[in-house]
Amino acid sequence: EPDQPSKVSQTHLVDLAGSERAGRTKATGDRLKEGAAINQSLSTLARVISELAKSAKSKKKPNPPFRESKLTYILKESLCGNSKTVMMAAISPNFLDYDETLSTLKFAQSVKQVQTKAVQNA
């Protein structure tokens, strides 16, 4: 009915796909450039998460670098806005992936410290 207020929500599904190790993937040309861009976005996301986690501990207003990457700019509302956010980390039991698994777990630990609160807008 036209008299009823409408409710609107958004869903963002993002596969971060992990870091791209150029030596391991043996990427060249455009694939190498794409891997570098992915790593740059992941690095910026890590800085944003770190800044948000620090501010959650100290209760001061955060100033994360959201505009330094398209990924973090898109995720801004999900990371510190009026939202419910879930992040999942995929890890490998393979010994060859130990460094990446440890890095992923450390990142997940810092993500746990970021607090968002969803409330219904009036």
Side-chain angles (χ1 to χ4, degrees):
E1 293 181 23
D3 296 339
Q4 296 288 332
S6 63
K7 293 183 182 181
V8 178
S9 66
Q10 295 178 354
T11 300
H12 299 276
L13 299 174
V14 180
D15 180 4
L16 298 177
S19 62
E20 300 296 323
R21 306 245 184 244
R24 193 165 174 190
T25 62
K26 298 186 179 22
T28 58
D30 288 342
R31 298 285 276 169
L32 184 61
K33 288 179 187 176
E34 182 181 346
I38 290 169
N39 286 341
Q40 182 66 37
S41 290
L42 290 174
S43 178
T44 303
L45 179 61
R47 286 196 316 276
V48 165
I49 294 294
S50 176
E51 185 71 28
L52 292 171
K54 276 193 263 182
S55 69
K57 286 181 183 177
S58 67
K59 303 291 184 202
K60 69 178 187 176
K61 188 171 167 68
N63 189 20
F66 286 113
R67 293 182 178 259
E68 288 183 16
S69 124
K70 290 178 186 177
L71 173 67
T72 54
Y73 187 75
I74 290 169
L75 293 177
K76 180 179 180 178
E77 192 173 318
S78 298
L79 293 172
C80 68
N82 179 9
S83 66
K84 280 279 191 189
T85 302
V86 176
M87 281 197 173
M88 292 180 273
I91 58 173
S92 171
N94 191 328
F95 181 73
L96 296 173
D97 296 321
Y98 176 81
D99 290 336
E100 288 190 42
T101 295
L102 186 60
S103 174
T104 299
L105 290 173
K106 286 179 180 179
F107 179 74
Q109 183 68 32
S110 65
V111 169
K112 278 177 48 174
Q113 296 171 4
V114 177
Q115 301 294 315
T116 59
K117 184 175 181 182
V119 294
Q120 184 173 341
N121 296 331

